[in-house]
Each structure stands twice: as C-alpha cells, then as structure tokens.
Amino acid sequence: AAFSRSSVVLEASRNKNKIASRSKWAAARGYGAADADASDVAAGLMTNDDGLEYVRLANAKGDTSDVYLLGGVVTSYITEGQNYIAVRPDAKMDGSKPISGGLSHCWPQFGPGEIQQHGFARNVNWTVKSMTDTTVELEMAPSDYTKEIWDKEFLCTFSVALEDDKLSTKMFVENKGEESFDFQSALHSYFTVSAMENLSIAGSFAGKEFLNKMVGDEGEMQTEDREEITISEEYDRVYTGVNDPVLKDTGTGKSLTVANTAGYEDTVLWNPYGDEGMGYNNFVCVESVKFNPVTVEGGASWTGDMSLSAGDL
C-alpha cells in the first residue's frame, strides 16, 4: 500500500532546516548548542537498516518513541533511559510480516473470526498525516487490499504524543459511509520485563470473571481471586471490565501505568511462557481491548484513548 512520501519528506526536510537554524542561533549566542542538538536532531522520519520507515519522537528531556508506518505500531518508549515497550527477538523488521511487538493494532477484529486473525491494520502502511518533534498523526484509509477483506467506508487516525510525563495514544475510527458497521479494537501491547519472576500486574482484577483461553478448545470462564497477577505458565486470558492495569517490575524498580481513558474496556494478558524463541522471559502483553464489538452508525465515530506513565516502585 502506497503512502504519500512527498509530504512526509517535505515535512522532514523543513524540520531539519528548522533544527539547523535553531542550532546556529544557539551557537552564535553561546548557548549549549550541543545539548539542543542531542534532543532535537533525534526527531523526524527515519529508515531502519531493513528499509522500513518510522517516525522518531523526541522531547526536550531526551525521551524518545519510535512509531513505524508499517502497521502504525509504536515500537519503543524510552523515558529516563528505560524502555517500556518490547519488540520480540523473533520479530521481522523488514516488512515481510507484521511487526511482532510494540503497541500493535488489532483492527477491525481481535483474535480469530470472520476475517484474518487480528484484522488487517497491522499489515498495511499507514500514512503520515502530520508530525512535530513530539507528535505524529497516522492515517489508514480503505485500499484495494482492505476492501477485499472488509469492504466498509472507514477512516482510522492513530495519534501518538510524547509528553513530559507520559506517552499518549488515540485511535479514532470514523464511519465515512451511510451504513453502520461493527468492529473490535485493541492495542496488542508488548511491555518490557526484566524477568517474569520479577513481574506483577495490579488492577481491579480480584473478583472479576475472565476467559481462560488455555483451557479446552473454546476456553473456560473462571473467576480471579488475586489482587495482583503473577505469571508462571502460558497465559491467554481476557478480563472483561478491567482496564486499569499497572505493571510492577522489582528487577528495574519501576512501574508502568496503562491508563485506558476512553473506548478500551477490557484487558487481555498474554505470555508464551517457556518459549525461548519468542523471548517470553522479557516481555508481557497487557492489551487494551474493546472485546465486545462496537457498532458505529454512518457519520459517527469511536475513540480509544490509552496512555503510559512510568514511575518508581
């Protein structure tokens, strides 16, 4: 799927000129131009070693976040030197398949169903609609490829903002047609873990029913009795009505609060425990999910807001 390269290149080149003139201005006045460069030059449209394009966001504090155009996936969030978003060691970063890791989109379907597993949003190149040093707005519109799979008149806009104290994301789904359509939406989020034995996940889990997909063919509804979740076996669990998870890592002494403030009502916990090839011991998926399908009427929209805030234990 093609995307408008020219507008992105123009914006990136403007950005470069802006940074160059700002550095020159600072140097001429004896200010710390090197410091300005360190935080400023890091931002913009870039290409990885395998030819995939991504946008690097960078703020004045030196925090960064990378957002790939393939799949519109956020692959890192580094604040105070600590990266909180994981990409699996077996991930392909050359475009040959969707990126295994990051804040991966499952849209318009989560898991198995009428169309391919987890939908098509993670398979296509999103277009850069706008960007600054600390924000990017990506867009996914129908293409011949998506119409063959799911012929609806949608427009998805995914916005990412690197703020001083958090990373904010917004998934905005518009129905541009006259007929309603249904969808599920999720961020299949991979987060870094120093080791699984150091991890616990807090939130309003206690007393909640969840679907344990590891039991039987169809899974089994069970009730959670723990206040905090620890993982010591393969996990694939859908906690409906839980959307306030906090990851705690005693190995790093850090916490990560996943704030689902709109749209995402449920949490899925997934870890392929024991699978060395996937690097199971250094990530956990704590997914922000709208599990029950949303119906969006013609001309209406849906928003999913999720932000990440790091802290100390």
Side-chain angles (χ1 to χ4, degrees), residues 237-270:
R237 300 184 174 195
V238 182
Y239 289 86
T240 49
V242 177
N243 66 352
D244 58 351
V246 179
L247 287 74
K248 299 178 179 182
D249 190 332
T250 57
T252 59
K254 299 290 185 184
S255 67
L256 185 69
T257 298
V258 182
N260 297 298
T261 51
Y264 301 117
E265 298 172 359
D266 316 303
T267 296
V268 169
L269 302 182
W270 182 76

Side-chain angles (χ1 to χ4, degrees), residues 169 186-187 189 191 242-246 257-268 286-290 303-308:
T169 73
L187 288 172
S189 307
F191 297 120
V242 177
N243 66 352
D244 58 351
V246 179
T257 298
V258 182
N260 297 298
T261 51
Y264 301 117
E265 298 172 359
D266 316 303
T267 296
V268 169
V286 181
E287 306 167 31
S288 300
V289 184
K290 181 67 179 83
T303 300
D305 286 338
M306 186 278 274
S307 66
L308 302 174

